[in-house]
Amino acid sequence: MNAPCIVFVDNEPGVLNALRRLLRLSHRDWDMHFFSSPVQALDQLDSLTPWVVVADRNMSEMDGIELLGHVADTAPEAIRVLLSGDAQMESAIRATAAAHLVIRKPFEREVIDDLLTRARVLHQLPLSVTLRGRLGQQESLPVLPEVYQQITHVLEQQEPDVAEVAELIRHDQVLLSRVLQLVNSPFFGFNSRTHDVEVAVMRLGLQTIHNLVLIIELYQHNSTVPRALGDRLMRDALLLAEHVGTLADSRGVSRNIRNLAVVSALLHNIGVLLLGADSQEYNIASAYLLELWGFESEVIEAIQHQLDPDLPYDCEPATEILNAAVKLQYGTLNDAIEANGD
């Protein structure tokens, strides 16, 4: 079996030398190639089978966005990563087809370690050759919404502030109205209504509001998703999360396992955003996208195996719960595939 391959392209020799020294000590099992010329890198791609291509944003012969655009055509299976020192460019770049991921410069070694770990997981996903190439050549992948990333930053603090999360939601009137609509809906079953987003955040909890923001932004606040499709994906995700919560409570699992299972339910059909109506492999596409985004391995596993008729004997508890909830909601696994392909 060939060694996993990564290609770095940067016209600063000092950056390439530092990467070479850093990675050849800790990742000797990788086949690494370093190019100071993007043109030379493209010439060599035909003779390589890269799992990852990392390119600097600013290069003289050809900028990183243009280079990665060519990589999408010549090596669609590769994860395309852009190095950028321009904070203002990051959001715009994330929305293009050029890069799957953007890494801000300067970066720590752990960032590259995490990238190589993700690449291994993505390579091991049971994608068909056709689907792997199709995902690699997507004109635009869904991106993690800015407000979701801001809330993530708040939650990473030692003592997350409910008021700060509420203020982030309050700045987006469309998101605010959808959050209040959901918290006041029969789905959550609260006895009294509220029009105060801070109260809504306290009622739902920070983790739940975090995940709700993600699916609202992706399914219902996204101009690239048809309204009817977004509404259906949202409805199915919320209903499945309800089934998952009921099953988790009946089994007496820990709060952490319950949360992982609920997150998996809320995001179980996100692959439909990539595949549209042709969703026979939407579970694998969902796992692919969430791995790119760096979600927990337990969530990736649960979503990957949600349609399996028989689960691996050593699967995580969240995987068992999601798989059972899918059968409960859709009747059969074939029905689940058909429902998400409508």
Side-chain angles (χ1 to χ4, degrees), residues 6-9 16 19-20 23-24 32-36:
I6 185 168
V7 172
F8 291 95
V9 189
L16 291 179
L19 284 167
R20 187 181 288 110
L23 297 176
R24 283 191 168 161
M32 299 184 185
H33 299 266
F34 301 86
F35 297 97
S36 58

Side-chain angles (χ1 to χ4, degrees), residues 177-253:
S177 66
R178 291 296 293 126
V179 167
L180 291 176
Q181 181 183 355
L182 280 171
V183 78
N184 290 320
S185 71
F187 176 80
F188 287 105
F190 294 114
N191 292 327
S192 60
R193 297 175 63 83
T194 182
H195 298 288
D196 185 333
V197 66
E198 192 166 335
V199 173
V201 172
M202 288 189 289
R203 285 183 178 181
L204 294 174
L206 288 171
Q207 286 297 336
T208 299
I209 203 74
H210 189 217
N211 297 317
L212 279 179
V213 164
L214 179 58
I215 62 172
I216 289 170
E217 289 286 287
L218 289 175
Y219 293 162
Q220 297 191 312
H221 198 183
N222 185 342
S223 61
T224 66
V225 179
R227 178 64 180 271
L229 175 62
D231 287 347
R232 179 175 63 78
L233 293 175
M234 182 83 172
R235 183 178 62 250
D236 289 350
L238 289 171
L239 182 58
L240 188 61
E242 183 178 13
H243 290 321
V244 159
T246 301
L247 285 172
D249 292 341
S250 70
R251 297 184 183 191
V253 300

Side-chain angles (χ1 to χ4, degrees), residues 5 58 68 94 108 116 149 161 164 177 227 286 304:
C5 174
N58 296 310
L68 293 179
R94 285 181 182 276
E108 301 293 332
L116 299 187
Q149 296 182 62
D161 187 350
E164 190 174 352
S177 66
R227 178 64 180 271
S286 298
Q304 177 182 339

